[in-house]
Amino acid sequence: MAQVTLNGTLEQGALIRAQTTPGTLVYLNGSEIMVTPNGGFVFGFERDAALSQELTLVYPDGLTQIKPLTIRKKQYHIDSLTGIAKKIMKPDPKAQARAAQDSKQVKAARSQFSTQEAFAQDFIWPLTGRISGVYGSQRVYNGKPGNPHFGVDVAAKTGTVVVAPADGVITLAVPDMFYSGGTVILDHGYGVSSSFLHLSQLYVKPGETIKQGQAIAEVGATGRVTGPHLDWRINWFQMRLDPVTVVPSMASVLATANGSSK
């Protein structure tokens, strides 16, 4: 019997984990999605994803199911700033070249495909605290729109320990990227990865196998930032998604922690 279960909210920015019959072929808008041997798969909807999409499943018995998906539109916070210095708006050529090289390394790390299935775990927050920046928000500098923010920022003091939100393998660990400072990327399998930015200390190196909850780095204020915090990002290959779609709300986590400490 044809069957598929989607876990997650169908909304812009969401990562969706799913389960179907082993051996099923899965396509999102005509593009094939890799399926685990036990029928698990994962996909996402980018920040400004089309609100109508289509999932097609071809089951082992030959039955084809076409499942229309209606995606909820999200509203993002937009700030307009004026009087920004030219050197901030456009870094010098040397800095631009360095940033381009950083971007190339990050893209390569996020392009990797592995068959580990940690993406299906219940993720935890890499640290807890006040959320100081949200996914999808955007600033307009001197009338020119900047890139949207593609992570969730958690304010914390420099030196606060960051832990792995799920199992994985380190695919990138660089202490001094131009924009993101100390940067770590952790591959969770099937195209899903976590990125951790602005770190002051890195505990890991590429190729290391990491377990959920393991300490991987320390919060910092490295790169282009105004204060110490963790910028945590989730990707499905190059698609940048909202980390809060894979974890319990920060408020519920903090409430539980406060309750257990009494």
Side-chain angles (χ1 to χ4, degrees):
M1 181 179 178
Q3 186 174 2
V4 61
T5 303
L6 304 182
N7 298 308
T9 302
L10 300 182
E11 63 181 9
Q12 291 175 329
L15 181 72
I16 306 296
R17 277 84 64 85
Q19 185 67 41
T20 189
T21 306
T24 298
L25 299 177
V26 179
Y27 303 86
L28 179 65
N29 305 318
S31 296
E32 186 173 6
I33 295 175
M34 297 300 292
V35 181
T36 71
N38 68 358
F41 63 98
V42 61
F43 59 97
F45 305 119
E46 60 193 351
R47 178 185 185 268
D48 299 305
L51 304 184
S52 293
Q53 302 200 31
E54 186 177 86
L55 199 65
T56 301
L57 301 103
V58 182
Y59 294 97
D61 62 4
L63 178 66
T64 297
Q65 178 186 12
I66 297 176
K67 187 176 179 65
L69 304 176
T70 300
I71 315 305
R72 184 171 71 87
K73 185 175 179 61
K74 292 182 73 172
Q75 299 298 317
Y76 302 108
H77 185 72
I78 309 294
D79 274 333
S80 292
L81 303 174
T82 57
I84 306 300
K86 186 177 180 180
K87 67 178 181 179
I88 295 177
M89 288 290 293
K90 188 174 183 179
D92 64 64
K94 185 177 180 180
Q96 290 184 63
R98 182 181 165 202
Q101 181 59 33
D102 293 344
S103 180
K104 188 176 179 180
Q105 290 185 73
V106 168
K107 186 173 183 180
R110 290 174 174 163
S111 296
Q112 296 185 31
F113 177 84
S114 69
T115 56
Q116 58 179 316
E117 299 179 28
F119 72 84
Q121 282 184 300
D122 291 330
F123 279 51
I124 62 173
W125 283 91
L127 83 167
T128 56
R130 178 178 64 86
I131 293 178
S132 57
V134 296
Y135 172 90
S137 59
Q138 188 176 27
R139 286 179 172 173
V140 179
Y141 300 98
N142 298 342
K144 182 180 179 181
N147 292 326
H149 184 244
F150 287 112
V152 57
D153 293 340
V154 182
K157 293 180 180 179
T158 294
T160 304
V161 173
V162 176
V163 304
D167 296 351
V169 173
I170 300 295
T171 54
L172 183 106
V174 178
D176 59 350
M177 287 189 159
F178 179 70
Y179 283 110
S180 58
T183 304
V184 168
I185 296 181
L186 179 62
D187 172 35
H188 304 296
Y190 284 77
V192 178
S193 66
S194 283
S195 300
F196 311 91
L197 283 52
H198 311 303
L199 305 167
S200 61
Q201 296 289 333
L202 280 54
Y203 299 165
V204 295
K205 59 182 183 294
E208 280 192 56
T209 298
I210 304 297
K211 288 297 183 183
Q212 184 180 64
Q214 181 177 335
I216 57 173
E218 294 177 9
V219 170
T222 56
R224 305 263 286 194
V225 294
T226 56
H229 69 279
L230 172 68
D231 182 344
W232 173 36
R233 304 187 174 199
I234 288 280
N235 270 60
W236 180 49
F237 296 108
Q238 303 304 327
M239 187 181 289
R240 293 174 280 200
L241 306 173
D242 190 348
V244 303
T245 65
V246 298
V247 283
S249 73
M250 181 66 83
S252 69
V253 172
L254 292 173
T256 300
N258 289 337
S260 62
S261 65
K262 292 178 180 177

